[in-house]
Amino acid sequence: MTVRQRYDGIVAWFSEHMPAAESELRYKDPYQLLVAVILSAQCTDKRVNMTTPALFEAFPTPFEMAKATAEEIYPYIRSISYPNNKAKNLAAMARMLCSEFGGEVPSDLEQMQRLPGVGRKTANVLGAVLWQKEVMPVDTHVFRVSERIGLTTGSKTPLQTELTLEKHIPGHLLPVAHHWLILHGRYVCTARAPKCGECGISAWCRKYAADRRAKRPERDGE
């Protein structure tokens, strides 16, 4: 199977079966999504969604959060991974967002990455979700699943994965494609026990094909 055939098959399957895949983070505006994505680093969306209602009630806009110290933000996010560091980032992010961007999340992704706590992946998530920019956010699920199923080969960094996926997936599909891979990794192609028997894209999966080849000698010898 060629790389093109693998991409075409996987993209076609997801386009048919998950045409409206979207983020599982709950938010009402760009500010809330930005906060939620910052909190989601190395933390589950489920945990973030349990945490943000009280946080957003206390700090409904970036202007309220900009007035708060990290110590005042911390109690609301203490159940999140790395709460001390994230509280500092949220306080500093809100101050810069208000002082330099008028409280509006910038749609320019390079400008957005100037905000404390915002890296390339976070900026790409907001770009894809809010403005349907043709970018591929790469989190741990996307990085792992892409290599396992054969969309990347020997990718060493999230950036390498990002550039490879952007090269092969049609640009207009990138905003939804990263949700395909995240949700697939979260619920089907799990890290320790992938549910290959339930997988709709197994016909194009490199690991599934390799596992089947490895079992053939055993069957031939029976």
Side-chain angles (χ1 to χ4, degrees), residues 163-204:
L163 297 177
T164 299
L165 295 176
E166 288 181 351
K167 177 182 177 181
H168 293 287
I169 296 174
H172 71 283
L173 291 177
L174 288 171
V176 70
H178 93 279
H179 293 307
W180 291 342
L181 295 173
I182 288 172
L183 296 174
H184 191 65
R186 188 173 291 163
Y187 298 112
V188 181
C189 195
T190 52
R192 295 185 180 180
K195 302 171 184 176
C196 298
E198 303 173 18
C199 179
I201 62 170
S202 59
W204 302 280

Side-chain angles (χ1 to χ4, degrees), residues 98-116:
C98 294
S99 64
E100 298 196 25
F101 300 102
E104 299 291 330
V105 178
S107 60
D108 183 295
L109 304 190
E110 293 297 325
Q111 289 295 311
M112 197 191 304
Q113 288 180 65
R114 293 177 52 217
L115 296 169

Side-chain angles (χ1 to χ4, degrees), residues 4-124:
R4 184 72 270 159
Q5 288 172 327
R6 176 170 286 118
Y7 270 91
D8 287 347
I10 290 173
V11 167
W13 188 90
F14 278 121
S15 294
E16 178 181 353
H17 294 89
M18 296 177 65
E22 58 187 21
S23 175
E24 293 187 314
L25 290 171
R26 297 176 192 150
Y27 65 96
K28 295 180 180 179
D29 53 43
Y31 156 69
Q32 289 192 357
L33 180 60
L34 176 57
V35 170
V37 175
I38 289 174
L39 292 176
S40 72
Q42 295 180 286
C43 187
T44 65
D45 287 1
K46 182 178 180 180
R47 171 57 61 182
V48 173
N49 289 336
M50 292 170 61
T51 302
T52 50
L55 179 67
F56 293 145
E57 184 176 357
F59 310 107
T61 74
F63 296 99
E64 277 84 11
M65 185 170 282
K67 299 174 186 176
T69 64
E71 290 74 22
E72 290 171 324
I73 294 172
Y74 174 85
Y76 295 94
I77 65 169
R78 62 191 308 166
S79 65
I80 295 284
S81 59
Y82 306 105
N84 286 298
N85 189 51
K86 289 178 180 177
K88 293 175 184 177
N89 283 336
L90 288 180
M93 177 278 292
R95 288 194 293 271
M96 180 181 283
L97 193 62
C98 294
S99 64
E100 298 196 25
F101 300 102
E104 299 291 330
V105 178
S107 60
D108 183 295
L109 304 190
E110 293 297 325
Q111 289 295 311
M112 197 191 304
Q113 288 180 65
R114 293 177 52 217
L115 296 169
V118 178
R120 185 182 185 92
K121 188 268 290 185
T122 295
N124 281 349

